[in-house]
Amino acid sequence: MKRRNFIKKAALSSLATIVGADIVFGNMLPSGYELLALQDSDPFKMFGKDKEMVVLNDRPWNMEAKAHLLNENITSNKYMFIRNNGKIPENIDVNTWKILFDGESVKTPKTYTIQELKEKFSHHTYQLTLECGGNGRSEFNPPAKGNQWTIGAVSCATWTGVRLKDVLDDVGVENDAVYIGYHAADTHLSGDPKKEPISRGVPMAKAYQEETILAFQMNGKDIPLAHGYPLRLIAGGWPASASGKWVDGISVRNKVHDGTKMTGTAYRVPCKPVAPGEKVKDEDMCIIESMPVKSLITYPKSGALIKEGDKLKINGHAWAGELAVAKMEYSIDFGSSWTACSLEQPVNRLAWQQFSAEISFPEKGYYEIWAKATDDQGVSQPMILPGWNPKGYLNNACHRIAIKVQ
Ligand SMILES: Nc1nc2c(c(=O)[nH]1)N[C@H]1C(S)=C(S)[C@@H](COP(=O)(O)O)O[C@H]1N2
Ligand SMILES: [Mo]
């Protein structure tokens, strides 16, 4: 008689974490069996998200924050957006997880367990801004297909791991290396095991930056499943699509990585400005690298009511991809005049910066507060939608909130 293949203990405990309860008789579950609770479940519970988060898609799961939910300096899991391209991997066993380093430009392919990474290389913690390249997509016209992100596809958590550079040095990289590309354990929505939902990467210079890490912790704990447990590549300041979740492979390429979502219109914008709606040839599209300067007013919540004569304290975050933010201003007269905010230094490179201001209003009425950041190269956020592009990337227009003084 054939023995039934029961689910492994480690997988069971990770399932229990997701379901948020012990799975009674879990040891009787056949392997590969999908729990009902996971097929049709409350995403807020399943991912530990706040009820005010907004679900944009359930196949695959995509959720975003609202501006006021992002008020913390360090984003906690419950307010962190989720952007998935495929199905979240199941039955993860951290003890047997391996990452394979291969590609044209490694001397000999090499694998590491997470334990080996932890023991062999020094640990580093950075606070790193991750913004989806499509954040703000919902405003483009003609509209772009894809998740209609408003402003909430950005986070800045602390990530702990080992430097990708240290591991690459240990693996041995050839001089002709151009790019790294990640491979991950999530599965394609079609169910085709040969198709990768996403496999992006970064040029060697970014791969070698000290803040580019293979992370095993987020905010001092195991990375939440939806955000890449048990191992995640983090390349802060670049489109967050470069930060592969559930990574189990890094290919060191002797050419620009050509994995899924590296080519065509994916995470690329026209190299030269085009008219809205214009068709752009693939060869005229350029890969997005550092994200543009941007900011968010996270307090107060839009719609706040203020008593006449009271001052209003606003605060929020500003970030500028690879660069630092040098200046932060606000306007209460639709951009006619601007006043400086106070702006803090980042805790480390590639972390967002805090700004605040105390605003007085001249009289009763309706106001909009606009916020504008300027990077250290002197480039500011546009007040309205920047250049149209086929996939609706890089909308870094000024954020604004509405206020009534009564
Ligand atoms: N393996 C894998 N990594 C991935 C993705 C994915 O679908 N699969 N999505 C990418 C995209 S497009 C973004 S914006 C970020 C989202 O990270 P988060 O869900 O932790 O916020 O993860 C990136 N890494
Ligand atoms: Mo993304």
Side-chain angles (χ1 to χ4, degrees):
M1 206 172 75
K2 238 170 94 189
R3 264 190 71 195
R4 277 178 81 196
N5 222 345
F6 294 111
I7 200 161
K8 292 219 186 66
K9 219 174 141 205
L12 199 57
S13 78
S14 78
L15 274 182
T17 315
I18 307 164
V19 177
D22 276 342
I23 303 167
V24 183
F25 299 129
N27 61 342
M28 305 299 283
L29 269 177
S31 76
Y33 184 89
E34 204 173 343
L35 287 177
L36 214 53
L38 293 182
Q39 293 173 24
D40 175 30
S41 181
D42 176 349
F44 302 94
K45 245 199 223 154
M46 186 158 63
F47 302 123
K49 299 296 173 187
D50 185 90
K51 284 282 182 208
E52 278 194 84
M53 296 286 285
V54 181
V55 176
L56 298 184
N57 195 348
D58 63 356
R59 200 186 135 79
W61 284 110
N62 283 280
M63 279 173 123
E64 75 168 332
K66 295 175 185 165
H68 70 280
L69 300 178
L70 291 169
N71 195 40
E72 303 164 298
N73 289 357
I74 300 173
T75 312
S76 32
N77 175 51
K78 64 178 178 217
Y79 301 128
M80 183 178 280
F81 78 99
I82 298 177
R83 192 322 182 212
N84 290 338
N85 289 269
K87 278 178 71 182
I88 297 178
E90 286 164 27
N91 302 343
I92 292 167
D93 184 352
V94 62
N95 298 311
T96 56
W97 191 271
K98 284 193 184 71
I99 180 165
L100 166 68
F101 284 77
D102 66 1
E104 300 95 354
S105 300
V106 298
K107 298 203 166 75
T108 324
K110 196 165 174 178
T111 57
Y112 301 86
T113 62
I114 294 179
Q115 196 57 30
E116 283 166 342
L117 290 178
K118 284 183 177 170
E119 280 165 9
K120 199 154 188 185
F121 306 104
S122 61
H123 298 186
H124 301 271
T125 298
Y126 300 104
Q127 197 186 333
L128 298 164
T129 309
L130 293 182
E131 182 180 15
C132 179
N135 197 19
R137 170 178 292 146
S138 62
E139 290 183 54
F140 281 101
N141 198 12
K145 287 206 195 88
N147 291 293
Q148 295 300 305
W149 304 107
T150 64
I151 44 82
V154 61
S155 68
C156 194
T158 63
W159 296 91
T160 302
V162 298
R163 287 193 175 128
L164 180 60
K165 175 183 190 304
D166 291 348
V167 189
L168 289 172
D169 287 347
D170 190 67
V171 171
V173 170
E174 306 276 9
N175 288 330
D176 65 351
V178 171
Y179 230 87
I180 63 104
Y182 66 76
H183 303 283
D186 47 344
T187 50
H188 199 268
L189 289 176
S190 66
D192 183 345
K194 287 190 293 281
K195 282 191 184 158
E196 295 182 282
I198 188 168
S199 169
R200 302 199 69 250
V202 293
M204 294 318 289
K206 180 66 177 169
Y208 281 142
Q209 270 184 7
E210 53 183 64
E211 300 85 1
T212 302
I213 59 173
L214 284 169
F216 39 77
Q217 285 197 330
M218 185 184 105
N219 295 339
K221 297 199 194 104
D222 281 351
I223 301 173
L225 179 68
H227 299 292
Y229 178 81
L231 194 66
R232 178 172 195 175
L233 174 67
I234 303 280
W238 285 43
S241 52
S243 294
K245 307 194 272 191
W246 315 291
V247 266
D248 56 11
I250 298 282
S251 296
V252 186
R253 309 296 312 269
N254 63 4
K255 56 180 181 185
V256 174
H257 182 56
D258 51 2
T260 310
K261 307 230 164 169
M262 281 301 297
T263 54
T265 51
Y267 302 103
R268 290 174 174 231
V269 288
C271 306
K272 298 207 176 73
V274 299
E278 208 171 303
K279 279 256 174 339
V280 189
K281 289 202 219 86
D282 281 0
E283 63 261 36
D284 296 331
M285 299 287 282
C286 285
I287 298 172
I288 301 169
E289 299 198 329
S290 174
M291 292 293 286
V293 63
K294 197 164 173 179
S295 61
L296 208 51
I297 305 165
T298 57
Y299 184 86
K301 188 173 165 173
S302 191
L305 305 174
I306 293 134
K307 271 220 317 278
E308 192 180 13
D310 281 0
K311 281 188 169 176
L312 174 68
K313 177 139 191 267
I314 63 159
N315 59 262
H317 320 290
W319 60 97
E322 281 289 313
L323 305 174
V325 177
K327 187 167 73 176
M328 190 68 215
E329 295 161 292
Y330 74 85
S331 174
I332 57 168
D333 55 11
F334 303 101
S336 303
S337 67
W338 294 89
T339 307
C341 299
S342 72
L343 174 69
E344 288 174 26
Q345 292 301 310
V347 293
N348 54 250
R349 229 176 66 75
L350 313 180
W352 65 19
Q353 296 168 237
Q354 322 311 329
F355 70 85
S356 60
E358 267 208 338
I359 307 183
S360 306
F361 300 89
E363 58 184 312
K364 282 187 201 166
Y366 172 88
Y367 295 86
E368 286 186 11
I369 304 175
W370 293 14
K372 181 171 75 175
T374 303
D375 70 27
D376 59 12
Q377 306 282 307
V379 176
S380 301
Q381 290 182 256
M383 279 175 266
I384 54 165
L385 207 64
W388 183 91
N389 61 87
K391 281 291 198 71
Y393 296 124
L394 306 182
N395 176 3
N396 67 332
C398 288
H399 182 225
R400 53 192 184 139
I401 59 169
I403 291 295
K404 261 188 195 166
V405 178
Q406 303 178 313

